[in-house]
């Protein structure tokens, strides 16, 4: 079975971890490990986590993102979350993680975007 989490390295010395679907107890360890491995193997200047295709996040998913942030900062890499849905953005704002994660959004995402993501504090 193909993972819902992939990592890629770009020529500009950045790494991107892309999440498809849910980020919860079932795959939070995989997400954290994927981010750590990207930092350890590639030493990127920037570790980017792309949430464009993520549909759900719970507290264990937020914990995994924090682990990725710590791994990146510990290796003197920058860390950012990109392309969150509006629902994810609210969760990150409420928890105070938006600033920590250097949150940025691609230009195509607008305020009219439909709400398809779910977030919970489970």
């Amino acid at each position: 079975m193909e993972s819902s989490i992939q990592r890629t390295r770009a020529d500009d010395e950045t790494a991107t971890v892309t999440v498809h679907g849910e980020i919860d107890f079932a795959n939070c360890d995989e997400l954290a490990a994927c981010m750590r491995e990207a930092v350890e193997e590639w030493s990127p200047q920037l570790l980017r986590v792309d949430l464009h295709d993520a549909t759900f996040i719970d507290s264990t998913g937020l914990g995994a993102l924090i682990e990725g942030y710590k791994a990146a900062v510990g290796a003197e890499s920058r860390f950012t979350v990109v392309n969150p849905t509006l629902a994810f953005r609210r969760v990150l704002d409420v928890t105070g993680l938006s600033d920590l994660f250097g949150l940025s959004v691609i230009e195509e995402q607008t305020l009219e975007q439909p709400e398809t993501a779910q977030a919970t504090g489970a």
Side-chain angles (χ1 to χ4, degrees), residues 9-87:
R9 181 174 59 172
D11 291 337
D12 64 356
E13 298 188 34
T14 63
T16 301
V17 174
T18 305
V19 179
H20 302 275
E22 299 182 354
I23 309 171
D24 58 16
F25 181 75
N27 66 353
C28 65
D29 291 337
E30 179 185 0
L31 175 59
C34 189
M35 291 183 288
R36 279 192 309 272
E37 290 166 1
V39 169
E40 291 168 4
E41 291 177 26
W42 299 332
S43 302
Q45 292 180 2
L46 170 68
L47 176 62
R48 179 183 302 114
V49 179
D50 190 341
L51 298 181
H52 181 267
D53 294 323
T55 57
F56 175 87
I57 192 166
D58 68 6
S59 60
T60 61
L62 292 174
L65 291 176
I66 292 168
E67 284 187 49
Y69 169 83
K70 288 179 179 179
V73 170
E76 298 182 1
S77 297
R78 291 179 302 131
F79 180 92
T80 189
V81 170
V82 297
N83 304 322
T85 63
L86 293 176

Side-chain angles (χ1 to χ4, degrees), residues 62 65-66 69 79-81 92 96-104:
L62 292 174
L65 291 176
I66 292 168
Y69 169 83
F79 180 92
T80 189
V81 170
L92 295 173
L97 295 173
S98 290
D99 291 336
L100 185 70
F101 292 163
L103 195 62
S104 61

